Amino acid sequence: MTVSIKLLTAGAVGMAIAFSGLSAVAQDAGDYAVTDEAELYFSGAPNNPTEPWLLAAGGRIYDNWWEALDKPEPQYFTHPSYPAEGKASGAETWRCKECHGWDYKGVSGVYRSGSHYTGIIGIEGAAGRDVAEISAMMRDSVHGYTEEMINDEEMERLAAFVSRGQIDMSQYIDLATREITGGNVDRGREVFQTICSACHGFDGRKLNWGDPGEDAFVATEAVAAPDEVLNKILNAHPGVEMVNLRAFGTELAADVLRYASTLPQE
Ligand code: HEC
Ligand code: HEC
């Protein structure tokens, strides 16, 4: 497959930065003032990166690389590999998750149908594959991610996640109905009350990222898109100062998902 990727010129990059600044304010109902220190925490790297840090950082790039890495959002064009029959367009089509799914299973997972359908395979087949090989693939003509978008060091984080950070969500979520089928609600309550509540409140309603008149709390999303929320619990939400549970294992993350789904949705 040959595709041509339009590179942003220096001028366009400047504009892109200005525009992404504007759109970040317009999109974010919560409108977080992000300090330099917060930015170092979510887009920087520690001196001695551990495996859990690496996998969570890579998972946030998979979710939304420009938010995760504090880079300008790709402007004006849809990813050349995004299928014409797909319903998304523009920057969204540059997110790994848009083509490969929150459950990493692409067309054989949650995105087998519905508004995010693309017919594209998942990334499961790349689990265990060599990190250098995965990184190189991201620069090929199918993917076309430039160094300005994701640099080599950041690409290694992403590739580590693809190779060693994927989990099998079908153990906790029915990927046909999106119902939560696993997780220990009592254990999840312990973690939510002691960790998540610091920012989301005991009932999960302190932060609301919904549009006016349409609430989006932790529970709203845990029920509607548990695959997305499990990904966020393991890796954190990109571009904000949120903690992640990667160091504590998948089981605990599923427990928190289960409990979160019992909280008020509006
Ligand atoms: C616009 C859609 C699109 C986006 C966005 C996208 N991919 Fe892909 N990806 C594809 C297609 C199409 C294939 C299959 C290519 C083929 O069959 O040769 C693929 C294949 C892959 C594979 C190989 C899977 C296997 O089993 O061999 C991996 C790994 C992968 N992508 C990772 C990523 C990552 C990581 C990102 C984000 C940085 C990403 N992709 C973003 C379309 C996309
Ligand atoms: C230090 C503060 C902090 C902690 C602790 C925290 N979060 Fe968050 N979380 C945030 C912020 C800030 C956002 C961004 C909300 C927005 O986009 O408006 C967020 C977003 C989210 C989102 C939604 C992302 C989206 O927009 O799709 C979910 C789900 C979530 N958090 C779950 C959790 C869970 C579960 C825990 C406990 C394991 C947790 N958070 C702990 C700060 C935190």
Side-chain angles (χ1 to χ4, degrees):
M1 184 160 112
T2 340
V3 289
S4 72
I5 308 234
K6 281 172 256 163
L7 289 176
L8 295 173
T9 62
V13 171
M15 271 169 63
I17 292 169
F19 278 119
S20 73
L22 281 177
S23 65
V25 172
Q27 273 169 10
D28 232 333
D31 197 8
Y32 300 95
V34 174
T35 61
D36 290 351
E37 257 174 49
E39 205 181 292
L40 265 184
Y41 168 67
F42 66 72
S43 67
N47 287 334
N48 299 301
T50 57
E51 180 76 355
W53 177 83
L54 185 65
L55 299 183
R60 293 194 297 278
I61 300 174
Y62 180 86
D63 175 336
N64 182 320
W65 54 267
W66 60 91
E67 291 286 351
L69 302 170
D70 208 34
K71 306 258 172 101
E73 181 173 327
Q75 298 290 311
Y76 317 123
F77 59 105
T78 295
H79 195 295
S81 291
Y82 190 79
E85 62 270 30
K87 292 194 171 63
S89 63
E92 283 300 296
T93 64
W94 284 85
R95 293 170 72 178
C96 312
K97 81 94 200 161
E98 197 55 44
C99 289
H100 297 297
W102 292 115
D103 55 11
Y104 327 122
K105 291 180 194 292
V107 70
S108 52
V110 168
Y111 288 180
R112 64 164 59 82
S113 64
S115 60
H116 296 280
Y117 173 83
T118 61
I120 295 171
I121 58 169
I123 57 164
E124 298 164 286
R129 210 178 283 171
D130 183 54
V131 163
E133 203 184 299
I134 296 169
S135 298
M137 191 202 298
M138 294 301 103
R139 307 239 186 263
D140 72 14
S141 60
V142 173
H143 287 96
Y145 292 97
T146 65
E147 295 207 28
E148 289 71 40
M149 295 173 172
I150 306 174
N151 71 32
D152 288 345
E153 194 262 316
E154 294 156 350
M155 197 62 96
E156 271 182 40
R157 300 179 204 164
L158 175 65
F161 166 77
V162 171
S163 180
R164 306 191 298 273
Q166 297 184 57
I167 62 158
D168 178 12
M169 291 196 187
S170 68
Q171 287 183 53
Y172 313 103
I173 299 164
D174 181 329
L175 299 178
T177 63
R178 259 183 157 175
E179 257 166 288
I180 299 171
T181 56
N184 178 324
V185 75
D186 294 323
R187 187 80 182 105
R189 184 185 294 111
E190 293 174 3
V191 178
F192 199 95
Q193 287 181 357
T194 55
I195 296 176
C196 315
S197 299
C199 302
H200 291 281
F202 290 125
D203 67 357
R205 291 194 289 185
K206 199 167 149 201
L207 296 178
N208 189 353
W209 50 90
D211 297 321
E214 214 179 288
D215 293 332
F217 299 126
V218 176
T220 326
E221 199 153 319
V223 171
D227 42 321
E228 173 174 355
V229 171
L230 191 49
N231 190 85
K232 306 268 186 200
I233 295 173
L234 278 170
N235 307 310
H237 184 61
V240 300
E241 216 175 355
M242 175 169 148
V243 301
N244 68 74
L245 298 190
R246 180 61 76 164
F248 305 97
T250 313
E251 207 61 45
L252 195 69
D255 296 343
V256 175
L257 172 68
R258 181 81 189 216
Y259 176 68
S261 75
T262 68
L263 292 168
Q265 293 177 55
E266 45 187 56

